[in-house]
Amino acid sequence: MSDKIKITLTVNGTAMTAEVEPRRSLADMLRDDLRLTGTHLGCEHGVCGACTVLVDGKPVRSCLMFGVQANGASVRTVEGLADGDRLHPLQQAFWENHGLQCGFCTPGFLMLAAGALEENPDMTDEEIRDVLSSNLCRCTGYQNIVKAVRLAAEVMKAGPAPQATRS
Amino acid sequence: MSAKKPAKYGIGAPVRRREDPALITGTGRYTDDITPDGTLHGFVLRSQMAHADITVEGIDEVRAMPGVKLVWTAADIADLGGLPCQANMELADGSRLTAPPHPVLADGRVRHVGDPIAFVVAETASAARDAAEALMIDYDPLDVVVDTAAALDPDAPVIWPEKGSNLAFEYHGGDAAETERVFAGAARVVELSLVNQRVVANYMETRGAIGEYDAATGRYTLTTGTQGGHSMRKILADDILKVDESLIRVVTPDVGGGFGTKNFVYSEHPLVLHAAKTLGAPVKWTGDRGDHFVIDSHGRDNVTTGRIALDAEGRILALQVDLVAAMGAYLHQFGPFIPEGALMMATGLYDIPVWFMKVRGVFTNTTPTDAYRGAGRPEAAYLIERLIDLAGRETGLGQVEIRRRNFIPPQKMPYTTVTGQYYDSGEFDAHLALALEQADFDGFAARRAKSRAKGRLRGIGLATYVEICAFPGSEEANVVLNDDGSATLYIGTQSNGQGHATAYGQLIAKYLGLDLDKVETVQGDTDRVRTGEGTGGSRSIPLGLASVDIASKVLVEQIRQLAAERLETSAADLELVDGTVRIVGTDRSVSLAELAASTPGKAKLKAHGNFQQDGATYPNGTHVCEVEIDPETGATTIVGYTVVDDFGVTVNPLLLEGQVHGGIAQSIGQALHEAAIYDESGQLVTASFLDYAMPRADDMPSIRFETRNVPSITNMLGIKGAGEAGTIGATPAVMNAVVDALDAARGIRHIDMPATPSRVWHALNAA
């Protein structure tokens, strides 16, 4: 069980190699081997979406994928969402619109929304709510998450013009 | 919306959260994100049966497995005390409640699925799991009882034979004989039997615990998500490990939701500490969602019959309640207290002169129940709000007039209820009127007609709720000005995601003239914070902020005096602004950093506040829910939701609205989706998110929220508390809306929660 397999992958833009047990999930590999603990585990059976990361640009439940399956893939996690010190528009919108409380589900929602908006920047309100229904949050009642994603979508469409610093 | 620009900080300012930058960048730190060097990993093997005598075999073989450090069953930890029940209330027969033993590991008998049997520690989490699963448990099954309503049947299997039956306790409130007399002479009696079903907290971060032990000092450190480490420390010290309290430190990192259920000491807490001491290495346990479903305390699970006696004008003369509350297989830490919340708040916002309530707690072969968001008050509000709605239907007065006729009028405030509660303030008809206007109640008939035209059933439901918060007590606050000019608050409440550091910080920032990011809140460490009562009962902001206010004002005065000496002026001429103390109207100033760094001693740079609150506070409000039901599928859609709350004073409107949204979501979950269901053998068949329906974004309406505050006269700052209110008002509002739709269409006046499509469809097709 403990024979490890060597894989190479890109995580948040950095190429790396990792040695993982075949039975280890991508989520456990990210958290325990790569110490990227921003990806959270809420159910480990693929329903809550707290562990959502982007694999080759698509939102994926990292608890349902083995680490070894990420061999050759590009993985993005919440730690790679901001551009240096500059927050991603989704992060900014979650902050400004009180889109999180305990914050445990937040990385999953951010990565889900990031993947969905990259695929379709013009989602309607209904489509946004539908996509966000993929993941679970127990604190917010979702209203501010939906609002934050809608507002972030507008900012992202407006382009990467430098944002004014907000106090 | 006010045209006036809100103040940047202070009470009422919509300040963005100080907590968020870490949490949105993945640098928050929850229990499972922490792994000290040399950590060993624990796994708890749990019962797969609901009731059985057990023997554990293969222990020696498992101890010899590679990487295994320790295998414990009950016999190995005989020196540890059990998990205590802290409810020692007086019962109907005059005796005090006594709880059966609740061992850390099941001792020869398991009493619910998930009961812990063995603890295995190994070098890795997977090795510990592999080893635990190699243990052989020999189960000798016993008869099982899971149904709350059937627990007291004469032929029900008895879980605690020494108790004689499954009756765990019985307590009463009110006057039985007088209530009977009033009912006998009443013009009308309205009766409703309902089930407040068992639900599961399902915070997103499952529990975890890390135990460390320092042999040199004999001190233990427990790192775990809590709702306040001080109470946990005391129980671990006094009841379980039996060591001096000073030898235990409880550290609480970021907490991914609690909702009542993370208040408590669970078996894994002493297990990781005791194992860390035994093995001389840190020991970590991380529970998964399955553990959460079977071992963390559940909520609600009451079977209740309520009756109200009315006079000919529809005024309530008396209330009578018979409530049976499932306690689970053991009495949990606060378990027996929870129905007491239902008892205290049974009469709601209504002027009811006579009552009698009987509460019976019963044992079943299920996970123990305890506090879950609202803890007794949702049960009270659900009963009285369903009952008064039914009375509105049966008298023909309707849902609005029946309430108005029975509200405690403003001129009677403050008002002591017949259940003994002192409502210090509130204008109930006023928030009802505002909510009806906001929800366009008058336009409902036209909306119903439109729905009918497309084959849908439309209903509108109200709940005018009241709850009890901020129980008498205090929460001390210590504020310190640091040498760099920043401030630190030390306080023993415990944020579970509510944003306490922002709420406290925005007040300190205002008083000290600092930016919020210069105000740090230290919580969650029993070594750094002297006392603490934790988060629960919506107490943190009413009690904590009042102490913060006192401490901040004292500190400001001290700082002014220090600066007055420095600037050779009168303290009265000084203001604290932009991190400096300045002579008003001049540019002469000294920075807080300079002042702090140059003050000898430091005693003047610290201030203490400890507001003592003598009574409780009573938030109240009106929820209006509008639903549309598809009779073909039975599916209910919430098409409108309006809330007007009286929270006394609004501290931070962003945070406040967030609390209301989240509470309503949990309540909508209970009303329409969620249920913890046991089969006859005692298996929890809803023990995963595949089987337990959680509310999702597309189940939630867009909520229209407003406050109509009447300040509390009990709380120093007028604050009433807001953490649970959403959960308390929403279940009856949603269910009254569902019933309104079903009554209009088919004359159906009762349906139990959760009103799933299947249940609604069957009700429609049976009628």
PDB file of all heavy atoms in Angstrom, chain B residues 18 56 67 86 97 259 387 408 429 491 501 527 561 564 696-697 728 755 760 766:
ATOM      1  N   ARG B  18     -12.078  42.018   9.283  1.00  0.00           N
ATOM      2  CA  ARG B  18     -10.651  41.903   9.499  1.00  0.00           C
ATOM      3  C   ARG B  18     -10.169  40.472   9.283  1.00  0.00           C
ATOM      4  O   ARG B  18      -9.021  40.220   8.942  1.00  0.00           O
ATOM      5  CB  ARG B  18     -10.402  42.301  10.962  1.00  0.00           C
ATOM      6  CG  ARG B  18      -8.979  42.584  11.302  1.00  0.00           C
ATOM      7  CD  ARG B  18      -8.841  42.743  12.805  1.00  0.00           C
ATOM      8  NE  ARG B  18      -7.553  43.306  13.157  1.00  0.00           N
ATOM      9  CZ  ARG B  18      -6.409  42.644  13.085  1.00  0.00           C
ATOM     10  NH1 ARG B  18      -6.387  41.398  12.695  1.00  0.00           N
ATOM     11  NH2 ARG B  18      -5.272  43.238  13.418  1.00  0.00           N
ATOM     12  N   VAL B  56     -13.850  -7.037  22.332  1.00  0.00           N
ATOM     13  CA  VAL B  56     -12.902  -6.658  21.290  1.00  0.00           C
ATOM     14  C   VAL B  56     -11.802  -7.717  21.255  1.00  0.00           C
ATOM     15  O   VAL B  56     -11.187  -8.006  22.284  1.00  0.00           O
ATOM     16  CB  VAL B  56     -12.295  -5.273  21.579  1.00  0.00           C
ATOM     17  CG1 VAL B  56     -11.378  -4.849  20.440  1.00  0.00           C
ATOM     18  CG2 VAL B  56     -13.400  -4.248  21.797  1.00  0.00           C
ATOM     19  N   GLY B  67       3.984   0.281  12.504  1.00  0.00           N
ATOM     20  CA  GLY B  67       3.617   1.684  12.691  1.00  0.00           C
ATOM     21  C   GLY B  67       2.648   1.938  13.817  1.00  0.00           C
ATOM     22  O   GLY B  67       2.380   3.082  14.161  1.00  0.00           O
ATOM     23  N   GLN B  86     -23.900  18.250  32.423  1.00  0.00           N
ATOM     24  CA  GLN B  86     -23.863  19.349  33.395  1.00  0.00           C
ATOM     25  C   GLN B  86     -25.245  19.810  33.839  1.00  0.00           C
ATOM     26  O   GLN B  86     -25.365  20.766  34.585  1.00  0.00           O
ATOM     27  CB  GLN B  86     -23.082  20.524  32.806  1.00  0.00           C
ATOM     28  CG  GLN B  86     -21.626  20.151  32.554  1.00  0.00           C
ATOM     29  CD  GLN B  86     -20.786  21.333  32.145  1.00  0.00           C
ATOM     30  OE1 GLN B  86     -21.180  22.120  31.302  1.00  0.00           O
ATOM     31  NE2 GLN B  86     -19.604  21.469  32.748  1.00  0.00           N
ATOM     32  N   LEU B  97     -31.703  15.801  38.733  1.00  0.00           N
ATOM     33  CA  LEU B  97     -31.371  14.936  37.595  1.00  0.00           C
ATOM     34  C   LEU B  97     -30.021  14.255  37.811  1.00  0.00           C
ATOM     35  O   LEU B  97     -29.043  14.905  38.194  1.00  0.00           O
ATOM     36  CB  LEU B  97     -31.315  15.791  36.331  1.00  0.00           C
ATOM     37  CG  LEU B  97     -30.903  15.078  35.039  1.00  0.00           C
ATOM     38  CD1 LEU B  97     -31.904  13.993  34.670  1.00  0.00           C
ATOM     39  CD2 LEU B  97     -30.784  16.067  33.892  1.00  0.00           C
ATOM     40  N   PHE B 259     -22.235  26.295  15.729  1.00  0.00           N
ATOM     41  CA  PHE B 259     -23.697  26.213  15.846  1.00  0.00           C
ATOM     42  C   PHE B 259     -24.167  25.504  17.115  1.00  0.00           C
ATOM     43  O   PHE B 259     -25.222  24.879  17.128  1.00  0.00           O
ATOM     44  CB  PHE B 259     -24.300  25.549  14.598  1.00  0.00           C
ATOM     45  CG  PHE B 259     -23.806  26.142  13.309  1.00  0.00           C
ATOM     46  CD1 PHE B 259     -23.120  25.375  12.383  1.00  0.00           C
ATOM     47  CD2 PHE B 259     -24.002  27.489  13.039  1.00  0.00           C
ATOM     48  CE1 PHE B 259     -22.634  25.929  11.201  1.00  0.00           C
ATOM     49  CE2 PHE B 259     -23.522  28.055  11.856  1.00  0.00           C
ATOM     50  CZ  PHE B 259     -22.840  27.278  10.942  1.00  0.00           C
ATOM     51  N   LEU B 387     -49.258  26.904  16.261  1.00  0.00           N
ATOM     52  CA  LEU B 387     -50.546  26.872  16.973  1.00  0.00           C
ATOM     53  C   LEU B 387     -51.363  28.134  16.718  1.00  0.00           C
ATOM     54  O   LEU B 387     -52.569  28.057  16.459  1.00  0.00           O
ATOM     55  CB  LEU B 387     -50.290  26.757  18.481  1.00  0.00           C
ATOM     56  CG  LEU B 387     -50.321  25.386  19.128  1.00  0.00           C
ATOM     57  CD1 LEU B 387     -49.960  25.514  20.600  1.00  0.00           C
ATOM     58  CD2 LEU B 387     -51.695  24.718  18.967  1.00  0.00           C
ATOM     59  N   ILE B 408     -48.498  40.964  23.295  1.00  0.00           N
ATOM     60  CA  ILE B 408     -48.284  41.779  24.486  1.00  0.00           C
ATOM     61  C   ILE B 408     -48.175  43.218  23.974  1.00  0.00           C
ATOM     62  O   ILE B 408     -47.304  43.517  23.154  1.00  0.00           O
ATOM     63  CB  ILE B 408     -46.983  41.380  25.203  1.00  0.00           C
ATOM     64  CG1 ILE B 408     -47.050  39.913  25.619  1.00  0.00           C
ATOM     65  CG2 ILE B 408     -46.718  42.299  26.383  1.00  0.00           C
ATOM     66  CD1 ILE B 408     -45.684  39.287  25.868  1.00  0.00           C
ATOM     67  N   ASP B 429     -46.343  44.674  17.285  1.00  0.00           N
ATOM     68  CA  ASP B 429     -47.242  45.008  16.188  1.00  0.00           C
ATOM     69  C   ASP B 429     -46.531  45.888  15.160  1.00  0.00           C
ATOM     70  O   ASP B 429     -46.831  45.845  13.965  1.00  0.00           O
ATOM     71  CB  ASP B 429     -48.474  45.726  16.740  1.00  0.00           C
ATOM     72  CG  ASP B 429     -49.619  45.698  15.742  1.00  0.00           C
ATOM     73  OD1 ASP B 429     -49.529  44.951  14.754  1.00  0.00           O
ATOM     74  OD2 ASP B 429     -50.593  46.441  15.946  1.00  0.00           O
ATOM     75  N   ILE B 491     -10.014  38.494  24.972  1.00  0.00           N
ATOM     76  CA  ILE B 491     -11.406  38.207  25.357  1.00  0.00           C
ATOM     77  C   ILE B 491     -11.694  36.721  25.187  1.00  0.00           C
ATOM     78  O   ILE B 491     -11.174  36.073  24.281  1.00  0.00           O
ATOM     79  CB  ILE B 491     -12.392  39.094  24.550  1.00  0.00           C
ATOM     80  CG1 ILE B 491     -13.791  39.052  25.186  1.00  0.00           C
ATOM     81  CG2 ILE B 491     -12.429  38.712  23.083  1.00  0.00           C
ATOM     82  CD1 ILE B 491     -14.677  40.224  24.806  1.00  0.00           C
ATOM     83  N   ALA B 501     -13.811  39.539  15.846  1.00  0.00           N
ATOM     84  CA  ALA B 501     -12.647  40.430  15.852  1.00  0.00           C
ATOM     85  C   ALA B 501     -12.970  41.736  15.135  1.00  0.00           C
ATOM     86  O   ALA B 501     -12.453  42.797  15.491  1.00  0.00           O
ATOM     87  CB  ALA B 501     -11.452  39.750  15.189  1.00  0.00           C
ATOM     88  N   ASP B 527      -4.186  30.079  27.856  1.00  0.00           N
ATOM     89  CA  ASP B 527      -2.995  30.636  28.507  1.00  0.00           C
ATOM     90  C   ASP B 527      -2.906  32.149  28.329  1.00  0.00           C
ATOM     91  O   ASP B 527      -2.318  32.840  29.151  1.00  0.00           O
ATOM     92  CB  ASP B 527      -1.712  30.012  27.926  1.00  0.00           C
ATOM     93  CG  ASP B 527      -1.331  28.725  28.662  1.00  0.00           C
ATOM     94  OD1 ASP B 527      -2.160  28.242  29.472  1.00  0.00           O
ATOM     95  OD2 ASP B 527      -0.230  28.203  28.422  1.00  0.00           O
ATOM     96  N   GLN B 561      -4.498  61.074  29.827  1.00  0.00           N
ATOM     97  CA  GLN B 561      -3.750  61.620  30.962  1.00  0.00           C
ATOM     98  C   GLN B 561      -2.241  61.540  30.731  1.00  0.00           C
ATOM     99  O   GLN B 561      -1.511  62.482  31.014  1.00  0.00           O
ATOM    100  CB  GLN B 561      -4.148  60.913  32.252  1.00  0.00           C
ATOM    101  CG  GLN B 561      -5.438  61.512  32.813  1.00  0.00           C
ATOM    102  CD  GLN B 561      -6.106  60.643  33.855  1.00  0.00           C
ATOM    103  OE1 GLN B 561      -5.475  59.727  34.377  1.00  0.00           O
ATOM    104  NE2 GLN B 561      -7.363  60.919  34.138  1.00  0.00           N
ATOM    105  N   ALA B 564      -1.458  64.164  28.247  1.00  0.00           N
ATOM    106  CA  ALA B 564      -1.599  65.508  28.803  1.00  0.00           C
ATOM    107  C   ALA B 564      -0.307  65.914  29.498  1.00  0.00           C
ATOM    108  O   ALA B 564       0.162  67.050  29.361  1.00  0.00           O
ATOM    109  CB  ALA B 564      -2.776  65.560  29.764  1.00  0.00           C
ATOM    110  N   ARG B 696     -28.981  24.223  -0.544  1.00  0.00           N
ATOM    111  CA  ARG B 696     -27.979  24.727  -1.492  1.00  0.00           C
ATOM    112  C   ARG B 696     -28.418  26.100  -2.005  1.00  0.00           C
ATOM    113  O   ARG B 696     -29.524  26.552  -1.735  1.00  0.00           O
ATOM    114  CB  ARG B 696     -27.820  23.750  -2.652  1.00  0.00           C
ATOM    115  CG  ARG B 696     -27.206  22.432  -2.222  1.00  0.00           C
ATOM    116  CD  ARG B 696     -27.114  21.446  -3.379  1.00  0.00           C
ATOM    117  NE  ARG B 696     -26.399  20.254  -2.937  1.00  0.00           N
ATOM    118  CZ  ARG B 696     -25.068  20.121  -2.957  1.00  0.00           C
ATOM    119  NH1 ARG B 696     -24.330  21.100  -3.443  1.00  0.00           N
ATOM    120  NH2 ARG B 696     -24.486  19.032  -2.520  1.00  0.00           N
ATOM    121  N   ALA B 697     -27.541  26.703  -2.793  1.00  0.00           N
ATOM    122  CA  ALA B 697     -27.817  28.073  -3.258  1.00  0.00           C
ATOM    123  C   ALA B 697     -29.150  28.162  -3.990  1.00  0.00           C
ATOM    124  O   ALA B 697     -29.883  29.145  -3.841  1.00  0.00           O
ATOM    125  CB  ALA B 697     -26.680  28.558  -4.156  1.00  0.00           C
ATOM    126  N   ILE B 728     -34.729  30.767  14.430  1.00  0.00           N
ATOM    127  CA  ILE B 728     -35.901  30.641  15.288  1.00  0.00           C
ATOM    128  C   ILE B 728     -37.170  31.086  14.557  1.00  0.00           C
ATOM    129  O   ILE B 728     -38.223  30.464  14.664  1.00  0.00           O
ATOM    130  CB  ILE B 728     -35.655  31.437  16.588  1.00  0.00           C
ATOM    131  CG1 ILE B 728     -34.544  30.730  17.378  1.00  0.00           C
ATOM    132  CG2 ILE B 728     -36.934  31.572  17.406  1.00  0.00           C
ATOM    133  CD1 ILE B 728     -33.862  31.573  18.416  1.00  0.00           C
ATOM    134  N   ALA B 755     -40.962  19.356   4.810  1.00  0.00           N
ATOM    135  CA  ALA B 755     -42.004  19.299   3.780  1.00  0.00           C
ATOM    136  C   ALA B 755     -41.335  19.001   2.438  1.00  0.00           C
ATOM    137  O   ALA B 755     -41.205  19.857   1.576  1.00  0.00           O
ATOM    138  CB  ALA B 755     -42.779  20.606   3.742  1.00  0.00           C
ATOM    139  N   VAL B 760     -45.258  16.303   0.635  1.00  0.00           N
ATOM    140  CA  VAL B 760     -46.299  17.233   0.180  1.00  0.00           C
ATOM    141  C   VAL B 760     -47.183  16.553  -0.871  1.00  0.00           C
ATOM    142  O   VAL B 760     -48.414  16.645  -0.829  1.00  0.00           O
ATOM    143  CB  VAL B 760     -45.656  18.532  -0.376  1.00  0.00           C
ATOM    144  CG1 VAL B 760     -46.690  19.393  -1.083  1.00  0.00           C
ATOM    145  CG2 VAL B 760     -44.981  19.306   0.751  1.00  0.00           C
ATOM    146  N   ALA B 766     -53.650  12.427  -0.701  1.00  0.00           N
ATOM    147  CA  ALA B 766     -54.478  11.719   0.277  1.00  0.00           C
ATOM    148  C   ALA B 766     -55.695  12.552   0.645  1.00  0.00           C
ATOM    149  O   ALA B 766     -56.670  12.042   1.160  1.00  0.00           O
ATOM    150  CB  ALA B 766     -53.653  11.417   1.530  1.00  0.00           C
TER     151      ALA B 766
END
